[in-house]
Amino acid sequence: QVLMVESGGGSVQAGGSLRLSCTYSGYISRPVYMGWFRQAPGKEREGVAAIYTSSGSTFYTGSVKGRFTISQDNAENTLYLQMNSLKPEDSAMYYCAAVRNYVPPSRVLDKSYYNYWGQGTQVTVSS
């Protein structure tokens, strides 16, 4: 059974930093892509960052480029999201996700391709 568990969320002031972690288990083979998604109240879930696990290539949505960094520790089966210079609009529930099949690079932040999800961790940024 695949299990993904996020941690590291919390409340910070604008300009602050948080590091989210996602530990995963139960995979027979490593997922092809792993990503971070977020969903604010009343909004659709959106892709924030993704990583191609074999090469480490990373992908970001425009609003977080230069502020967020996705990384992985394959030995520890852990995915990270370092979030710096946080803004109130970054407030949301953050989810890690994984997919075992090929995804076109142009679609790696499309939630419909991902079939394994964690339960989420809340990030709240106050102004």
Side-chain angles (χ1 to χ4, degrees), residues 30-68:
R30 184 174 296 117
V32 176
Y33 285 97
M34 298 194 71
W36 287 96
F37 295 74
R38 66 186 180 188
Q39 188 169 18
K43 294 188 176 181
E44 282 201 22
R45 191 170 299 189
E46 65 168 343
V48 175
I51 188 166
Y52 184 42
T53 61
S54 62
S55 70
S57 296
T58 57
F59 308 82
Y60 298 94
T61 191
S63 62
V64 308
K65 280 182 181 177
R67 300 189 298 123
F68 291 11

Short mmCIF file of all heavy atoms in Angstrom, two decimals, residues 30-68:
data_model
loop_
_atom_site.label_atom_id
_atom_site.label_comp_id
_atom_site.label_asym_id
_atom_site.label_seq_id
_atom_site.Cartn_x
_atom_site.Cartn_y
_atom_site.Cartn_z
N ARG A 30 10.50 3.40 -7.79
CA ARG A 30 10.39 4.84 -7.52
C ARG A 30 9.46 5.50 -8.53
O ARG A 30 9.50 5.20 -9.72
CB ARG A 30 11.76 5.50 -7.58
CG ARG A 30 11.73 6.99 -7.22
CD ARG A 30 13.10 7.59 -7.15
NE ARG A 30 13.88 6.99 -6.07
CZ ARG A 30 14.98 6.29 -6.27
NH1 ARG A 30 15.44 6.10 -7.48
NH2 ARG A 30 15.62 5.77 -5.25
N PRO A 31 8.61 6.40 -8.07
CA PRO A 31 7.75 7.14 -9.01
C PRO A 31 8.56 7.88 -10.05
O PRO A 31 9.70 8.29 -9.78
CB PRO A 31 7.00 8.11 -8.10
CG PRO A 31 7.05 7.49 -6.75
CD PRO A 31 8.36 6.78 -6.68
N VAL A 32 7.99 8.09 -11.20
CA VAL A 32 8.69 8.80 -12.27
C VAL A 32 8.76 10.29 -11.96
O VAL A 32 9.80 10.93 -12.08
CB VAL A 32 8.00 8.56 -13.61
CG1 VAL A 32 8.67 9.37 -14.72
CG2 VAL A 32 8.03 7.08 -13.96
N TYR A 33 7.64 10.85 -11.55
CA TYR A 33 7.58 12.25 -11.15
C TYR A 33 6.97 12.34 -9.76
O TYR A 33 6.07 11.57 -9.40
CB TYR A 33 6.70 13.07 -12.11
CG TYR A 33 7.33 13.38 -13.44
CD1 TYR A 33 7.06 12.59 -14.55
CD2 TYR A 33 8.17 14.47 -13.60
CE1 TYR A 33 7.63 12.88 -15.78
CE2 TYR A 33 8.74 14.78 -14.82
CZ TYR A 33 8.47 13.97 -15.92
OH TYR A 33 9.03 14.26 -17.12
N MET A 34 7.45 13.30 -9.00
CA MET A 34 6.81 13.65 -7.74
C MET A 34 6.62 15.16 -7.74
O MET A 34 7.41 15.90 -8.35
CB MET A 34 7.64 13.21 -6.55
CG MET A 34 7.82 11.70 -6.48
SD MET A 34 8.42 11.12 -4.90
CE MET A 34 6.97 11.39 -3.86
N GLY A 35 5.57 15.59 -7.06
CA GLY A 35 5.28 17.01 -7.09
C GLY A 35 4.61 17.52 -5.84
O GLY A 35 4.18 16.73 -4.98
N TRP A 36 4.56 18.82 -5.75
CA TRP A 36 3.83 19.52 -4.70
C TRP A 36 2.70 20.31 -5.35
O TRP A 36 2.92 21.02 -6.35
CB TRP A 36 4.75 20.47 -3.93
CG TRP A 36 5.71 19.77 -3.04
CD1 TRP A 36 7.01 19.44 -3.30
CD2 TRP A 36 5.45 19.29 -1.71
NE1 TRP A 36 7.57 18.80 -2.23
CE2 TRP A 36 6.63 18.69 -1.23
CE3 TRP A 36 4.33 19.31 -0.87
CZ2 TRP A 36 6.72 18.13 0.04
CZ3 TRP A 36 4.42 18.75 0.38
CH2 TRP A 36 5.61 18.17 0.83
N PHE A 37 1.54 20.18 -4.76
CA PHE A 37 0.37 20.89 -5.21
C PHE A 37 -0.22 21.65 -4.03
O PHE A 37 0.06 21.31 -2.88
CB PHE A 37 -0.68 19.91 -5.77
CG PHE A 37 -0.22 19.21 -7.03
CD1 PHE A 37 0.72 18.19 -6.97
CD2 PHE A 37 -0.72 19.59 -8.26
CE1 PHE A 37 1.17 17.56 -8.13
CE2 PHE A 37 -0.29 18.96 -9.42
CZ PHE A 37 0.64 17.95 -9.35
N ARG A 38 -1.03 22.65 -4.31
CA ARG A 38 -1.67 23.39 -3.22
C ARG A 38 -3.10 23.74 -3.61
O ARG A 38 -3.42 23.88 -4.79
CB ARG A 38 -0.88 24.64 -2.88
CG ARG A 38 -0.84 25.70 -3.96
CD ARG A 38 0.10 26.83 -3.56
NE ARG A 38 0.16 27.88 -4.58
CZ ARG A 38 1.02 28.89 -4.54
NH1 ARG A 38 1.88 29.02 -3.51
NH2 ARG A 38 1.02 29.81 -5.49
N GLN A 39 -3.90 23.88 -2.58
CA GLN A 39 -5.29 24.24 -2.79
C GLN A 39 -5.73 25.19 -1.71
O GLN A 39 -5.71 24.84 -0.52
CB GLN A 39 -6.18 22.99 -2.81
CG GLN A 39 -7.61 23.27 -3.21
CD GLN A 39 -8.40 22.01 -3.49
OE1 GLN A 39 -8.02 20.90 -3.08
NE2 GLN A 39 -9.49 22.14 -4.20
N ALA A 40 -6.13 26.37 -2.14
CA ALA A 40 -6.68 27.37 -1.22
C ALA A 40 -8.19 27.24 -1.21
O ALA A 40 -8.79 26.72 -2.17
CB ALA A 40 -6.27 28.76 -1.68
N PRO A 41 -8.85 27.70 -0.16
CA PRO A 41 -10.31 27.59 -0.08
C PRO A 41 -10.98 28.23 -1.28
O PRO A 41 -10.65 29.36 -1.67
CB PRO A 41 -10.64 28.34 1.21
CG PRO A 41 -9.42 28.21 2.05
CD PRO A 41 -8.28 28.27 1.07
N GLY A 42 -11.89 27.50 -1.91
CA GLY A 42 -12.63 28.01 -3.04
C GLY A 42 -11.88 28.01 -4.35
O GLY A 42 -12.39 28.50 -5.36
N LYS A 43 -10.67 27.47 -4.35
CA LYS A 43 -9.88 27.44 -5.57
C LYS A 43 -9.54 26.01 -5.96
O LYS A 43 -9.61 25.10 -5.14
CB LYS A 43 -8.59 28.25 -5.39
CG LYS A 43 -8.82 29.74 -5.18
CD LYS A 43 -7.52 30.50 -5.20
CE LYS A 43 -7.75 31.99 -5.09
NZ LYS A 43 -6.48 32.76 -5.14
N GLU A 44 -9.18 25.85 -7.21
CA GLU A 44 -8.77 24.54 -7.69
C GLU A 44 -7.36 24.21 -7.18
O GLU A 44 -6.56 25.10 -6.91
CB GLU A 44 -8.77 24.51 -9.22
CG GLU A 44 -10.15 24.36 -9.83
CD GLU A 44 -10.09 23.84 -11.26
OE1 GLU A 44 -9.09 23.21 -11.64
OE2 GLU A 44 -11.06 24.06 -11.98
N ARG A 45 -7.10 22.91 -7.08
CA ARG A 45 -5.77 22.47 -6.72
C ARG A 45 -4.83 22.80 -7.88
O ARG A 45 -5.13 22.47 -9.03
CB ARG A 45 -5.77 20.98 -6.41
CG ARG A 45 -4.50 20.47 -5.79
CD ARG A 45 -4.66 19.05 -5.29
NE ARG A 45 -5.68 18.93 -4.27
CZ ARG A 45 -5.89 17.82 -3.56
NH1 ARG A 45 -5.14 16.75 -3.78
NH2 ARG A 45 -6.86 17.78 -2.67
N GLU A 46 -3.69 23.39 -7.56
CA GLU A 46 -2.75 23.78 -8.60
C GLU A 46 -1.38 23.18 -8.34
O GLU A 46 -0.96 22.99 -7.19
CB GLU A 46 -2.63 25.31 -8.69
CG GLU A 46 -2.04 25.97 -7.47
CD GLU A 46 -1.67 27.42 -7.68
OE1 GLU A 46 -1.57 27.87 -8.84
OE2 GLU A 46 -1.46 28.12 -6.67
N GLY A 47 -0.67 22.90 -9.42
CA GLY A 47 0.67 22.39 -9.31
C GLY A 47 1.64 23.51 -8.96
O GLY A 47 1.59 24.59 -9.55
N VAL A 48 2.51 23.24 -8.02
CA VAL A 48 3.49 24.22 -7.56
C VAL A 48 4.88 23.89 -8.08
O VAL A 48 5.57 24.74 -8.63
CB VAL A 48 3.51 24.28 -6.02
CG1 VAL A 48 4.61 25.21 -5.53
CG2 VAL A 48 2.15 24.72 -5.49
N ALA A 49 5.28 22.63 -7.89
CA ALA A 49 6.62 22.21 -8.29
C ALA A 49 6.61 20.71 -8.52
O ALA A 49 5.82 19.99 -7.90
CB ALA A 49 7.66 22.58 -7.22
N ALA A 50 7.50 20.26 -9.39
CA ALA A 50 7.61 18.83 -9.67
C ALA A 50 9.06 18.49 -9.93
O ALA A 50 9.87 19.36 -10.28
CB ALA A 50 6.74 18.43 -10.85
N ILE A 51 9.38 17.21 -9.74
CA ILE A 51 10.74 16.75 -9.96
C ILE A 51 10.71 15.42 -10.70
O ILE A 51 9.89 14.55 -10.39
CB ILE A 51 11.51 16.65 -8.63
CG1 ILE A 51 12.99 16.36 -8.86
CG2 ILE A 51 10.88 15.61 -7.71
CD1 ILE A 51 13.85 16.58 -7.61
N TYR A 52 11.57 15.31 -11.71
CA TYR A 52 11.74 14.05 -12.42
C TYR A 52 12.73 13.24 -11.59
O TYR A 52 13.91 13.60 -11.52
CB TYR A 52 12.26 14.34 -13.82
CG TYR A 52 12.42 13.16 -14.73
CD1 TYR A 52 11.46 12.15 -14.78
CD2 TYR A 52 13.52 13.06 -15.56
CE1 TYR A 52 11.62 11.07 -15.64
CE2 TYR A 52 13.69 11.98 -16.42
CZ TYR A 52 12.73 10.99 -16.45
OH TYR A 52 12.89 9.92 -17.30
N THR A 53 12.27 12.18 -10.99
CA THR A 53 13.06 11.56 -9.93
C THR A 53 14.36 10.93 -10.41
O THR A 53 15.32 10.86 -9.65
CB THR A 53 12.23 10.49 -9.21
OG1 THR A 53 11.85 9.48 -10.14
CG2 THR A 53 10.98 11.09 -8.58
N SER A 54 14.42 10.52 -11.65
CA SER A 54 15.65 9.86 -12.10
C SER A 54 16.78 10.84 -12.36
O SER A 54 17.93 10.55 -12.07
CB SER A 54 15.37 9.03 -13.35
OG SER A 54 14.94 9.86 -14.39
N SER A 55 16.44 12.01 -12.88
CA SER A 55 17.49 12.99 -13.23
C SER A 55 17.57 14.15 -12.25
O SER A 55 18.57 14.85 -12.20
CB SER A 55 17.25 13.55 -14.63
OG SER A 55 16.10 14.39 -14.64
N GLY A 56 16.49 14.36 -11.52
CA GLY A 56 16.45 15.51 -10.62
C GLY A 56 16.01 16.80 -11.29
O GLY A 56 16.03 17.86 -10.65
N SER A 57 15.61 16.73 -12.54
CA SER A 57 15.12 17.94 -13.22
C SER A 57 13.89 18.46 -12.51
O SER A 57 13.03 17.68 -12.08
CB SER A 57 14.78 17.61 -14.67
OG SER A 57 15.92 17.23 -15.39
N THR A 58 13.82 19.76 -12.39
CA THR A 58 12.73 20.38 -11.62
C THR A 58 11.88 21.31 -12.48
O THR A 58 12.35 21.83 -13.50
CB THR A 58 13.28 21.16 -10.42
OG1 THR A 58 14.21 22.14 -10.89
CG2 THR A 58 13.98 20.23 -9.44
N PHE A 59 10.67 21.49 -12.05
CA PHE A 59 9.70 22.30 -12.76
C PHE A 59 8.94 23.13 -11.73
O PHE A 59 8.62 22.62 -10.65
CB PHE A 59 8.71 21.42 -13.54
CG PHE A 59 9.37 20.41 -14.43
CD1 PHE A 59 9.84 19.20 -13.92
CD2 PHE A 59 9.52 20.66 -15.79
CE1 PHE A 59 10.46 18.27 -14.74
CE2 PHE A 59 10.13 19.74 -16.61
CZ PHE A 59 10.60 18.54 -16.10
N TYR A 60 8.63 24.38 -12.08
CA TYR A 60 7.93 25.26 -11.14
C TYR A 60 6.86 26.06 -11.85
O TYR A 60 7.02 26.44 -13.02
CB TYR A 60 8.91 26.25 -10.49
CG TYR A 60 9.99 25.59 -9.68
CD1 TYR A 60 11.23 25.30 -10.24
CD2 TYR A 60 9.77 25.27 -8.35
CE1 TYR A 60 12.22 24.68 -9.50
CE2 TYR A 60 10.76 24.65 -7.60
CZ TYR A 60 11.98 24.36 -8.18
OH TYR A 60 12.96 23.76 -7.43
N THR A 61 5.79 26.34 -11.13
CA THR A 61 4.83 27.28 -11.65
C THR A 61 5.42 28.69 -11.49
O THR A 61 6.24 28.94 -10.61
CB THR A 61 3.48 27.15 -10.92
OG1 THR A 61 2.49 27.89 -11.61
CG2 THR A 61 3.58 27.67 -9.48
N GLY A 62 4.99 29.59 -12.36
CA GLY A 62 5.63 30.89 -12.43
C GLY A 62 5.63 31.69 -11.14
O GLY A 62 6.60 32.39 -10.82
N SER A 63 4.56 31.58 -10.37
CA SER A 63 4.43 32.41 -9.18
C SER A 63 5.40 32.04 -8.06
O SER A 63 5.56 32.82 -7.11
CB SER A 63 3.00 32.34 -8.65
OG SER A 63 2.66 31.02 -8.27
N VAL A 64 6.04 30.87 -8.14
CA VAL A 64 6.95 30.47 -7.07
C VAL A 64 8.40 30.36 -7.53
O VAL A 64 9.29 30.10 -6.72
CB VAL A 64 6.52 29.12 -6.44
CG1 VAL A 64 5.06 29.16 -6.01
CG2 VAL A 64 6.79 27.95 -7.37
N LYS A 65 8.64 30.57 -8.81
CA LYS A 65 10.02 30.48 -9.31
C LYS A 65 10.92 31.47 -8.59
O LYS A 65 10.56 32.63 -8.40
CB LYS A 65 10.04 30.75 -10.82
CG LYS A 65 9.63 29.58 -11.67
CD LYS A 65 9.72 29.91 -13.15
CE LYS A 65 9.29 28.72 -14.00
NZ LYS A 65 9.31 29.04 -15.45
N GLY A 66 12.07 30.98 -8.17
CA GLY A 66 13.01 31.82 -7.46
C GLY A 66 12.76 31.89 -5.96
O GLY A 66 13.60 32.39 -5.22
N ARG A 67 11.62 31.39 -5.52
CA ARG A 67 11.29 31.41 -4.09
C ARG A 67 11.20 30.00 -3.50
O ARG A 67 11.56 29.78 -2.35
CB ARG A 67 9.96 32.13 -3.86
CG ARG A 67 9.94 33.57 -4.33
CD ARG A 67 8.66 34.29 -3.86
NE ARG A 67 7.45 33.69 -4.40
CZ ARG A 67 6.45 33.23 -3.65
NH1 ARG A 67 6.52 33.28 -2.32
NH2 ARG A 67 5.37 32.73 -4.22
N PHE A 68 10.69 29.05 -4.27
CA PHE A 68 10.50 27.67 -3.81
C PHE A 68 11.52 26.76 -4.48
O PHE A 68 11.90 26.98 -5.64
CB PHE A 68 9.11 27.16 -4.14
CG PHE A 68 7.98 27.80 -3.38
CD1 PHE A 68 8.17 28.93 -2.61
CD2 PHE A 68 6.71 27.25 -3.43
CE1 PHE A 68 7.13 29.51 -1.91
CE2 PHE A 68 5.66 27.81 -2.74
CZ PHE A 68 5.87 28.95 -1.98
#
